[in-house]
Amino acid sequence: MSEYGDDQGGNGGARHGGDGRSTHGEQWRIRFDAEVTFGNGGGLQTRGFLLDVPDPEIGDGDLAELFVRHLGLLMVDKVHVSGREAVREPHKGSRGVAGTAAGPGRSARGTGGRRVVDLSHSIRHGMTTYPGLPGPEIGDHLSREASRAVYAPGTEFAIGRISMVSNTGTYIDSPFHRFGGGHDLAALPIDTFTDLDGVVVRVQDTGSRAVGREALLPYDLSGRAVLIHTGWDRHWGTDRYGHGHPYLTADAVDLLVGQGAALVGIDSLNIDDTDDGTRPVHTGLLAAGIPVVEHLRGLEQLPPQGFRFHAAPPAVEGMGTFPVRAYAVLDDPCGADRAQVPSRES
């Protein structure tokens, strides 16, 4: 959403009604007209729309954000608000207004079977994760043949050895990755990146690399693993993957931090624009203690919400990044015996 109307500002604290009494703590609704254009084409017009608001003098920009969140509109480019009128009456239950919405972070957990969806890329000898970083070297520390001299006849084992940079495959970034004084992998509690209520934000094929706050507005983000589905994983293993990837913007980070997201993941090369050396997304999220998972895959297999997300790394002291086996667990009432979606890489 490149604009929200003529007034981009928010409210400025306690307001007063025409009779001089403070309106703070009272319930108000705004009746207004709105014209919406979408990033993937088309538009929407409303006349006399009524929306619960926390303050009758809310700015047009904030009012437009509430409107988008309330309707759950996706891929919004612009919203223009006009003809507004404040109405003093009880809230009717608009999403996005404190005290009127269902609590965030809830997911349906039925009594049927469960399904596990693998969201990680396989790690292979010599593979490229990020252009310029060396691929993993996988081999034997003790081969099966050599082990026969160690164990009893008919008994053999293989002990493997891997040498790799920590940014290999699908991996998680802890605050230590960006900040010397931040928590490393061992210092983060395991519930930081396991059994999280998940939400998928779909932004594939929008024609824009930048994913801004407008893409996140329809969703409850508080306490959730927010997974950005760009569809870029289709280029994995090709030269195309390393160039022109989708990324989050700084204003999206402000919303994620402000709403208290638990973790943010993306199926792209980097959650930042790699042409920006300041890395504002890593900086903002990791400064707030929000881990980042990059190089996810298979997000098209997930519903928008109603699943649990897991991405646990080993507890390595002094390291800020490490590969994870990221996966989602969701209810599958159609088949308790179907345990896992087959991997596209198997």
Side-chain angles (χ1 to χ4, degrees):
M1 206 173 298
S2 54
E3 70 176 57
Y4 287 105
D6 298 328
D7 180 1
Q8 297 290 321
N11 54 48
R15 305 291 184 179
H16 298 274
D19 57 4
R21 292 185 295 119
S22 172
T23 64
H24 189 73
E26 298 183 47
Q27 291 191 338
W28 290 82
R29 309 181 80 199
I30 297 288
R31 179 182 289 112
F32 61 97
D33 301 335
E35 184 173 351
V36 182
T37 57
F38 295 97
N40 59 344
L44 172 70
Q45 290 184 331
T46 66
R47 294 290 181 264
F49 194 90
L50 272 168
L51 186 65
D52 300 344
V53 294
D55 189 310
E57 297 186 30
I58 184 174
D60 281 357
D62 291 336
L63 179 62
E65 289 197 3
L66 282 180
F67 174 71
V68 169
R69 184 175 292 118
H70 174 68
L71 293 183
L73 299 176
L74 305 179
M75 298 185 181
V76 173
D77 181 40
K78 299 179 182 179
V79 177
H80 178 72
V81 170
S82 62
R84 53 182 287 163
E85 174 191 4
V87 180
R88 189 184 317 197
E89 62 180 42
H91 287 168
K92 305 299 183 184
S94 298
R95 289 189 295 176
V97 179
T100 70
R106 298 178 182 174
S107 63
R109 301 292 289 170
T111 58
R114 296 192 306 165
R115 184 158 59 98
V116 178
V117 179
D118 191 347
L119 304 174
S120 301
H121 291 288
S122 297
I123 295 177
R124 298 186 175 95
H125 177 80
M127 63 178 278
T128 297
T129 298
Y130 192 97
L133 294 181
E137 298 177 7
I138 302 173
D140 290 326
H141 170 72
L142 181 68
S143 69
R144 294 186 184 279
E145 292 75 13
S147 76
R148 295 168 188 164
V150 178
Y151 303 100
T155 302
E156 61 184 37
F157 294 92
I159 300 177
R161 182 182 184 91
I162 183 169
S163 175
M164 66 180 184
V165 297
S166 58
N167 294 46
T168 295
T170 302
Y171 54 79
I172 193 166
D173 295 336
S174 72
F176 185 74
H177 177 54
R178 173 67 177 82
F179 303 102
H183 287 320
D184 61 15
L185 297 170
L188 289 176
I190 196 166
D191 60 3
T192 305
F193 30 67
T194 59
D195 199 25
L196 299 174
D197 184 32
V199 58
V200 176
V201 178
R202 304 203 190 280
V203 294
Q204 70 273 33
D205 302 321
T206 63
S208 174
R209 295 175 56 209
V211 180
R213 65 180 283 126
E214 64 277 3
L216 306 175
L217 289 175
Y219 305 93
D220 292 321
L221 308 177
S222 177
R224 283 177 148 179
V226 181
L227 310 181
I228 312 300
H229 177 206
T230 72
W232 199 251
D233 59 323
R234 66 184 181 272
H235 300 301
W236 176 261
T238 71
D239 291 340
R240 182 78 176 94
Y241 187 78
H243 307 282
H245 66 282
Y247 59 88
L248 291 186
T249 62
D251 66 339
V253 173
D254 291 341
L255 186 65
L256 289 160
V257 172
Q259 290 202 13
L263 175 149
V264 182
I266 194 168
D267 58 351
S268 179
L269 175 79
N270 200 301
I271 203 166
D272 265 299
D273 180 1
T274 53
D275 292 331
D276 186 346
T278 66
R279 297 295 196 269
V281 181
H282 280 88
T283 299
L285 293 177
L286 297 179
I290 301 173
V292 173
V293 179
E294 293 171 308
H295 309 283
L296 288 166
R297 71 169 183 90
L299 294 180
E300 72 279 355
Q301 301 176 77
L302 301 182
Q305 56 187 350
F307 63 90
R308 311 296 292 185
F309 179 75
H310 304 257
V316 183
E317 295 183 1
M319 187 167 286
T321 299
F322 207 84
V324 294
R325 188 70 178 264
Y327 62 93
V329 180
L330 55 153
D331 291 331
D332 185 15
C334 296
D337 59 342
R338 182 172 61 185
Q340 185 172 2
V341 172
S343 169
R344 293 182 302 175
E345 298 185 350
S346 60

